[in-house]
Amino acid sequence: MKIRTEIESDIKTIESLTYAAFENHPHHEVGAKPTEHLIINRLRQDNALSLSLVAEENQQILGHVAFSPVQIGEETSGWYGLAPLSVAPNQQGKGIGSLLVREGVAQLKSQGAKGIVLLGEPEYYGRFGFKQRTNLTLPGVPAEYVLALLLEENEAAPEGDITFHAAFSG
């Protein structure tokens, strides 16, 4: 399995993979169509896709993860959102998502990022060190699903509401 940065020829495959990964997702309303692929496209259009990695095996893309800048309270630099993370439905549960998250975290840390936030399952993301921080909020979202990972030693998480890029609002 090779984890690499997306290239232009990957874009349509990433779009299809992300749509399939989120189709009939348990957190979507019944019958709702996925929009996560559109988020990635809008981030890319706005030059806000800070890191876009694919998992590839035998020239086939099996997974994708996107990272984009976020604002937390008044803090506007050094923090990123992890979303979405997509793995082909027939490849889920094989560790592909874990490889993508670990590589993305490592790359952002090496680039001097302060931290990463996400909206996700604590049981899954906890294995990477993500945890709930009471000083970080995402309006309208239960606190236990708002998770953060500090990347700098002795760095405290900023306080306030997390604001993801406008691409997440549609």
Side-chain angles (χ1 to χ4, degrees):
M1 182 76 51
K2 176 182 176 182
I3 307 296
R4 63 170 175 78
T5 302
E6 77 166 35
I7 56 175
E8 190 172 338
S9 61
D10 297 333
I11 292 173
K12 286 294 179 195
T13 303
I14 291 168
E15 187 175 289
S16 299
L17 170 95
T18 304
Y19 186 92
F22 283 94
E23 194 169 27
N24 301 315
H25 193 276
H27 292 294
H28 287 178
E29 290 183 31
V30 176
K33 296 295 180 194
T35 59
E36 288 79 3
H37 63 296
L38 301 175
I39 293 169
I40 298 167
N41 289 344
R42 289 190 295 261
L43 287 169
R44 197 179 288 113
Q45 285 174 321
D46 289 351
N47 292 317
L49 192 53
S50 303
L51 183 60
S52 180
L53 300 174
V54 296
E56 181 183 61
E57 189 170 69
N58 299 323
Q59 287 85 41
Q60 185 177 15
I61 294 175
L62 304 177
H64 174 262
V65 67
F67 295 87
S68 57
V70 296
Q71 180 173 337
I72 302 174
E74 299 300 316
E75 181 76 38
T76 59
S77 64
W79 281 83
Y80 295 87
L82 184 167
L85 170 63
S86 311
V87 176
N90 65 345
Q91 298 294 316
Q92 293 175 5
K94 297 180 179 181
I96 296 168
S98 293
L99 290 171
L100 286 162
V101 170
R102 289 184 204 289
E103 181 61 23
V105 167
Q107 286 193 30
L108 286 175
K109 186 173 184 172
S110 74
Q111 294 170 15
K114 295 177 183 176
I116 303 169
V117 294
L118 59 85
L119 167 61
E121 295 291 336
E123 300 81 30
Y124 180 78
Y125 290 101
R127 71 182 86 178
F128 311 109
F130 285 89
K131 55 180 123 177
Q132 180 185 357
R133 308 241 177 224
T134 56
N135 55 337
L136 296 175
T137 55
L138 193 55
V141 175
E144 65 266 24
Y145 298 107
V146 180
L147 308 174
L149 176 65
L150 301 176
L151 297 178
E152 289 186 345
E153 297 284 328
N154 304 317
E155 179 76 23
E159 293 186 25
D161 288 345
I162 301 166
T163 304
F164 283 84
H165 186 276
F168 287 86
S169 301

